[in-house]
Amino acid sequence: MRRTCRVACAVLLAAVSPTPAEGQESPIDRGVWLVAGTGRINGTHDLEDDTRRFTIDLNPQVGYFVAPHLAVHANVAFTHSTAGGGVHRAGGLGPGVSYYFGNERSRVLPYLTARTLFIWSRSGPADDASSATSFRQWLAGGGITWIVARNVGLTAEAYYLRSTLRENEREGADRSGEVYTLNFGVTVFAY
């Protein structure tokens, strides 16, 4: 799994050959770097069994426009969740691609995105040893970045995420899950 992440990062770095970005007028032009991130804080209360869950998700990314409107990026995911005396922590890394619509004068930049993440997680009772597992996530979504300063935008992103967890290596059984969510964040375009 670690080797796969190293290969994905090496491919991403090879694809983003730095070029001078001086004089550029568009935040979505070739040669522009982007640093972005979305997050979500969620609290739930199950009235049937009186359990409460609190979750924090952070999703930073660093990208590079390899062509006008088209960015490749490295994505990171962090999750911390507590419920009924148990703790779940997860972290992940993976590549992605986004296509932004608009031009150099657009203040609203809609986009489509696709990512895959390799996730490592630990969960268990808060006061005991945790069990560890790893799994893969695929994400497809879209969003809007509203430019509020020359190179800073506020972002809203809706996406569909599918996770696949290998239950038993010998039998090949998989367990899958789906998530639909709306996250908010900030995007900085470096040009």
Side-chain angles (χ1 to χ4, degrees):
M1 186 63 72
R2 289 185 178 143
R3 183 175 183 212
T4 304
C5 287
R6 285 187 205 133
V7 169
C9 289
V11 169
L12 179 65
L13 290 174
V16 294
S17 58
T19 59
E22 295 177 25
Q24 289 182 324
E25 296 296 323
S26 175
I28 56 174
D29 201 4
R30 184 183 189 288
V32 174
W33 286 89
L34 70 90
V35 177
T38 60
R40 176 175 64 104
I41 297 175
N42 185 23
T44 60
H45 179 208
D46 186 329
L47 298 175
E48 291 293 319
D49 60 7
D50 197 33
T51 58
R52 296 176 190 272
R53 172 170 290 210
F54 179 74
T55 304
I56 297 174
D57 284 320
L58 299 174
N59 304 290
Q61 67 178 234
V62 175
Y64 182 78
F65 283 88
V66 295
H69 306 275
L70 182 65
V72 295
H73 38 84
N75 302 279
V76 181
F78 299 107
T79 299
H80 176 82
S81 181
T82 59
V87 175
H88 173 79
R89 292 182 187 96
L93 179 67
V97 62
S98 295
Y99 186 86
Y100 285 79
F101 300 92
N103 59 40
E104 66 272 357
R105 293 194 177 119
S106 298
R107 296 199 46 88
V108 176
L109 301 171
Y111 66 91
L112 298 174
T113 188
R115 306 191 272 274
T116 186
L117 293 165
F118 304 98
I119 306 289
W120 298 270
S121 71
R122 290 192 156 295
S123 54
D127 59 352
D128 198 5
S130 299
S131 64
T133 187
S134 62
F135 55 96
R136 188 170 297 150
Q137 291 181 336
W138 293 271
L139 179 148
I144 295 175
T145 298
W146 177 41
I147 304 297
V148 294
R150 180 180 181 270
N151 63 335
V152 177
L154 299 177
T155 299
E157 180 177 87
Y159 62 79
Y160 164 79
L161 180 136
R162 183 169 178 94
S163 297
T164 303
L165 171 67
R166 172 114 4 222
E167 285 286 332
N168 187 329
E169 290 293 329
R170 291 182 187 169
E171 295 176 16
D174 286 341
R175 208 171 99 208
S176 297
E178 297 176 321
V179 175
Y180 304 91
T181 191
L182 177 64
N183 287 352
F184 297 95
V186 175
T187 302
V188 176
F189 300 93
Y191 63 101

